[in-house]
């Protein structure tokens, strides 16, 4: 299509009192820069409808029937003539009914003959179908179907026509329904064949329609998907502006004059700036309209105060609102200094980041938005301020939450390839995500064989240009694991050099290239099993003292010390924030999950959590003590005890008697060998001569009851909201018993159980159902509301043999 760049015709102006009373209206764009549930059409005429409900699902392939005969063959090649499960009239009434997001791979059994990197889960092919009825009043609108993510390869049919092929699990599939839609009593039939067997990544990828599906109805003249770019920037003279670029599309029969009306809303929703532009868009074409907002002294976005503004972009035709899109905006500056690291809003900030994959206990990759937010809250508690979306485009819900919660994001491309198909995927990533204030880096690859070659250099040049043509406000980086000293290599084509596991080369590279900004894009790769205190290779268990790491990596303590002591390094992204399925190294069967996580697959803390929290939390005292103090049968034998703190000194007492007082090493922590005696082990943290923190572990009694602790006190009754519930066994004094391994059965009223977990990488218990064993004292049950459940109570009851049952009640609002 032709694209016209239209000069700004409207001047900047501050908002009038009348405009200040207006509010954002209309649906939010799922493939643009905001995420919401279904929203009714506002004055703009845009309507966004969530299509997660009422799908039909069949696991396994359904072969297409053979065609024989001259006439049948002729007819089978015409529009709308798809056969088999893609056919309009195919009978899917016997298929399973379900709601999205859905990962069919996590529902299957473990199989020792399957790929360990994919978590020993059979994958295969599956089908999804759904009908969609459109009101005759929708005729003449621009209609778009959006699949946010399908794992891994997909073919989509609508009304018997192939409308899309997708070869990436991480990019959206968009389908223009406008020309092929049925209206009124004739339903539209959507069929999707998903092939999960291809491997796009070397980690667990799941299978199915695992992200949201939306229908977006737009007026004939409209803002296209991801069509608004409005990222604030600060001029050299200190003035703040918001350049606005809006791509307007039209399906009208004649050329249309369009007016762009843009308003900036502050965090309280008040309009603080306004600008306009005008232009013309031809039939079945697009035009780019540009204008600029001027803002005096905005409130800045930061990791500690993530102040979010909104840009409300309206298109008017004949003076009437036609379309509207609201996008997030954060006023902040960023820069990477080759000597002093990263600066946010002209203040130095060490990047305290983690790499994450997107699966969670019980759910596979099909995470409700609220579970994504739960995981980010766990990272906030850790002291983490940055996330690397390793190694693929994240779900939009993660970026929306990062904007709100104050995380920096290294947004990463999946395939290192500049050919047209993959260049389009990179362009899509940047267009979708460039308004998010959380995004500070575009990463074009991870650990590629070509990284130390001229071919790699040339590819990065081309991919960096694709990025910069769409967004020139953020630097391009890559996660590089070697070849950095070759005569020609990719470091010569990036803005910020990312190191993966090269501690020994930090100083050497900085000395050789003193003008290049540097960060650790991935490090550590330490391994530990939550709640285990001795490595047992025969039982596939790893001690949680931070002594075990993979050959290319380092302990959590050593890796962060190397970062913290070098001001020229912007920071680090630890591998990984959470355990994830697949990559069970150094083990094979029966281990089905990784052990790299600072937290386990449920988000329960490992020792690494306490190590990093003591190093990363700066606004309050932190003190943790490990291990537990239940060592019956080892009386008198030395137990390794460690404290992790940001206090100056730590005093350790056993049953009130002083063991010793030690100065704290912020990187290594404090270690004792303490002869075991049952009772109370207490650490006392002292700073500036004052006691500021205490940590206690006690010998517990036998477990007598279960305890359930919901992550949140209330849930929305929209059928989408979900929350994890912590499950533990307690003794008669209400203390958690860290060695409990009881099998627990769950029952629920007023909602549904959507996942179960306990963080045990060697467990092959089903992750969905009503039963799960405690592992080293803990398990997790994930519950979800039912649509229309507002005003009710969701109640979960847990039972285990020999223990008093427990019930958790969550209000549904």
């Amino acid at each position: 299509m032709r694209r016209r760049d239209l000069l700004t015709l409207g001047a900047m102006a501050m908002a009038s009192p009348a405009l200040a009373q207006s509010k954002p209206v209309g649906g939010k764009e799922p493939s643009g820069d905001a995420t919401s549930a279904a929203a009714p059409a506002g004055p703009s005429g845009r309507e966004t409808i969530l299509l997660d409900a009422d799908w039909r699902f069949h696991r396994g392939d359904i072969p297409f029937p053979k065609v024989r005969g001259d006439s049948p063959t002729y007819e089978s090649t015409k529009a709308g003539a798809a056969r088999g499960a893609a056919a309009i009239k195919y009978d899917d009434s016997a298929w399973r009914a379900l709601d999205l997001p859905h990962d069919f791979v996590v529902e299957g059994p473990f199989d020792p003959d399957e790929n360990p990197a994919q978590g020993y889960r059979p994958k295969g092919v599956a089908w999804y179908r759904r009908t969609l009825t459109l009101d005759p009043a929708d005729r003449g609108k621009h209609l778009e179907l959006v699949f946010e993510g399908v794992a891994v390869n997909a073919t989509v049919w609508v009304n018997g026509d192939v409308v899309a092929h997708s070869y990436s699990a991480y990019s959206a599939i968009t389908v223009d329904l406008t020309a092929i839609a049925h209206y009124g009593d004739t339903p539209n039939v959507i069929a999707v064949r998903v092939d999960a067997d291809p491997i796009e990544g070397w980690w667990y990828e799941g299978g199915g329609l695992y992200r949201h599906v939306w229908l977006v109805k737009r007026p004939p003249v409209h803002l296209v998907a991801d069509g608004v770019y409005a990222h604030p920037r600060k001029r050299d003279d200190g003035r703040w502006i918001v350049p606005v670029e809006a791509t307007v599309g039209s399906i009208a029969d004649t050329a249309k004059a369009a007016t762009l009306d843009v308003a900036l809303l502050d965090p309280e929703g008040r309009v603080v700036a306004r600008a306009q532009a005008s232009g013309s868009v031809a039939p079945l074409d697009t035009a780019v309209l540009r204008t600029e907002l001027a803002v005096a002294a905005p409130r800045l976005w930061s990791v500690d105060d993530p102040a979010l503004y909104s840009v409300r972009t309206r298109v008017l035709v004949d003076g009437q609102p036609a379309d509207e899109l609201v996008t997030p905006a954060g006023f902040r500056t960023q820069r990477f200094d080759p000597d002093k690291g990263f600066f946010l809003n002209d203040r130095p900030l060490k990047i305290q980041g983690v790499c994450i994959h997107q699966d969670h206990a019980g759910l596979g990759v099909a995470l409700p938005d609220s579970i994504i937010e739960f995981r980010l809250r766990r990272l906030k508690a850790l002291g983490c301020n940055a996330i690397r979306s390793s190694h693929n485009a994240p779900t939009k819900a993660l970026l929306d939450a990062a904007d709100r919660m104050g995380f920096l994001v290294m947004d990463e491309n999946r395939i290192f390839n500049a050919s047209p198909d993959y260049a389009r995927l990179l362009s899509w990533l940047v267009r979708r995500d460039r308004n998010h204030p959380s995004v500070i880096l575009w990463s074009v690859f991870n650990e590629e064989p070509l990284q130390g070659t001229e071919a790699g250099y040339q590819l990065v040049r081309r991919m960096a240009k694709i990025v910069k043509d769409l967004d020139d406000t953020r630097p391009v980086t890559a996660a590089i694991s070697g070849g950095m000293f070759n005569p020609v290599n990719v470091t010569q084509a990036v803005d910020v050099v990312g190191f993966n596991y090269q501690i020994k080369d930090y100083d050497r590279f900085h000395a050789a290239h003193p003008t290049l900004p540097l960060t650790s894009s991935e490090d550590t790769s330490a391994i530990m099993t939550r709640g285990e205190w001795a490595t047992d290779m025969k039982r596939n268990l790893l001690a949680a003292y931070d002594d075990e790491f993979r050959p290319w990596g380092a302990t959590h303590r050593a890796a962060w010390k190397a970062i913290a002591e070098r001001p020229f390094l912007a920071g680090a992204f630890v591998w990984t924030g959470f355990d994830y399925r697949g990559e069970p190294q150094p083990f094979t069967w029966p281990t089905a999950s990784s052990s790299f996580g600072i937290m386990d697959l449920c988000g329960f803390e490992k020792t690494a959590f306490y190590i990093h929290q003591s190093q990363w939390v700066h606004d309050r005292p932190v003190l943790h003590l490990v291990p537990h103090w239940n060592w019956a049968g080892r009386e008198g034998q030395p137990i390794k005890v460690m404290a992790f703190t940001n206090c100056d000194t730590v005093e350790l007492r056993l049953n009130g008697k002083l063991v010793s007082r030690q100065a704290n090493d912020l990187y290594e922590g404090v270690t004792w060998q303490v002869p075991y005696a049952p009772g109370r082990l207490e650490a006392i943290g002292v700073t500036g001569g004052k006691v500021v923190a205490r940590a206690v572990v006690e010998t517990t009694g036998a477990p007598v009851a279960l305890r359930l602790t919901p992550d949140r006190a209330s849930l929305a009754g929209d059928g989408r909201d979900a929350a994890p519930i912590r499950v533990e066994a307690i003794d008669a004094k209400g203390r958690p018993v860290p060695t409990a391994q009881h099998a627990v059965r769950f029952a629920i009223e007023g909602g549904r159980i959507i996942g179960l977990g306990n963080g045990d990488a060697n467990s092959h218990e089903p992750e969905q159902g009503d039963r799960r064993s405690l592992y080293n004292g803990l398990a997790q049950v994930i519950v979800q509301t039912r649509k229309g459940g507002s005003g009710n109570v969701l109640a979960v009851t847990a039972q285990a043999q020999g223990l008093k049952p427990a019930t958790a009640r969550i209000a549904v609002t």
Side-chain angles (χ1 to χ4, degrees), residues 270-292:
R270 297 174 299 222
V271 175
V272 295
R274 181 184 172 188
Q276 290 190 337
S278 298
S280 177
V281 57
L284 301 180
D285 203 350
T286 61
V288 177
L289 279 65
R290 292 185 174 90
T291 188
E292 187 175 284

Side-chain angles (χ1 to χ4, degrees), residues 19 43-45 219-223 246 248-249 256-263 274-281 289 312-325:
L19 182 60
S44 69
V221 179
H222 55 271
L223 295 160
V248 180
K256 293 290 184 180
T259 298
L260 198 67
D261 183 69
V262 185
R274 181 184 172 188
Q276 290 190 337
S278 298
S280 177
V281 57
L289 279 65
R312 186 183 65 204
T313 305
R314 286 176 173 165
V315 174
L316 289 79
V317 177
D318 298 327
Q320 298 300 313
D323 196 12
E324 177 182 300
L325 187 59

Side-chain angles (χ1 to χ4, degrees), residues 528-534 543-547 557 598 604-614 622-631 638-645 650-654 662 668-674 676 681-684 694-698 738:
M528 63 178 69
T529 307
R530 177 182 60 78
E532 299 291 345
W533 304 103
Y545 284 114
D546 192 35
D547 295 328
R557 292 166 291 167
I598 293 171
F604 296 138
E605 306 93 332
K606 301 186 191 180
T607 301
F609 185 97
Y610 308 132
I611 293 171
H612 287 291
Q613 191 180 57
S614 69
V622 171
L623 176 61
H624 291 285
L625 198 58
V626 297
H628 59 72
W629 207 238
N630 282 23
W631 298 101
I639 303 296
K640 182 179 179 179
V641 174
M642 301 185 76
F644 299 101
T645 184
V650 183
E651 179 181 292
L652 186 70
R653 292 181 175 272
L654 177 58
Q662 295 190 41
E668 291 295 326
V670 184
T671 302
W672 298 266
Q673 293 290 335
V674 182
Y676 176 64
L681 190 67
E682 182 177 21
I684 302 170
R694 295 177 184 269
V696 175
V697 289
E698 291 184 293

Side-chain angles (χ1 to χ4, degrees), residues 377-388:
R377 287 201 305 275
R378 301 297 299 129
L379 293 177
K380 270 290 181 181
L382 169 67
C384 171
N385 62 20
I387 296 165
R388 176 184 176 209

